[in-house]
Amino acid sequence: MLEPANTWTQELDFPSRLLESGSNDYELYEEDGEFVLSVELPGFDPEEITASWNDGMLNVAGEHEDENRGTRRTYHRRFRFPKAIDEDGITAEYQNGILTVRLPVTVENAVSGTEIEIES
């Protein structure tokens, strides 16, 4: 009989979400002509977080060293956007452990495409 893949993590008392491939540490939605990205980064100081925009991709990274515990935490995630973004209008704010990045959509340069017919 095959055991579930996460049985060994339960035996070691690891939180199973640490090893999951999908993560719910962010929320991304579009409203009022802009994308809003909220990323949970508790325990980081604002100067330990970087956000950069390059060729349609937003990079969010953080690195926190706790000298008292001798630990280091890192975070890195990339987000690609399906529409053209006004690079000069991007803003970021970090409050209460949450980084919020607002990316205004450039309407006249919105990425368009061709609808693909789905056959059944």
Side-chain angles (χ1 to χ4, degrees):
M1 180 177 196
L2 293 175
E3 295 183 22
N6 66 350
T7 299
W8 69 272
T9 59
Q10 291 171 348
E11 291 172 7
L12 294 174
D13 200 30
F14 280 119
S16 60
R17 73 180 203 100
L18 287 177
L19 303 174
E20 289 178 355
S21 58
S23 181
N24 294 327
D25 60 356
Y26 71 93
E27 179 181 26
L28 177 62
Y29 57 92
E30 185 177 3
E31 75 173 6
D32 300 329
E34 68 181 0
F35 286 104
V36 179
L37 172 69
S38 298
V39 182
E40 295 178 18
L41 294 167
F44 286 84
D45 292 325
E47 56 273 358
E48 297 173 325
I49 302 169
T50 60
S52 61
W53 178 259
N54 185 19
D55 195 27
M57 180 97 58
L58 177 70
N59 292 298
V60 176
E63 186 171 328
H64 175 74
E65 288 196 43
D66 186 338
E67 294 177 7
N68 295 331
R69 293 183 177 177
T71 60
R72 183 175 138 202
R73 291 177 42 213
T74 60
Y75 179 90
H76 186 249
R77 190 177 289 271
R78 292 183 180 162
F79 302 90
R80 181 169 295 282
F81 292 84
K83 296 182 180 178
I85 301 296
D86 174 9
E87 295 180 23
D88 296 328
I90 299 173
T91 61
E93 178 182 34
Y94 182 70
Q95 279 190 318
N96 300 323
I98 299 183
L99 174 69
T100 302
V101 182
R102 295 182 176 276
L103 304 102
V105 175
T106 305
V107 177
E108 63 271 7
N109 292 332
V111 176
S112 61
T114 305
E115 185 173 340
I116 300 170
E117 183 179 338
I118 300 173
E119 298 178 21
S120 57

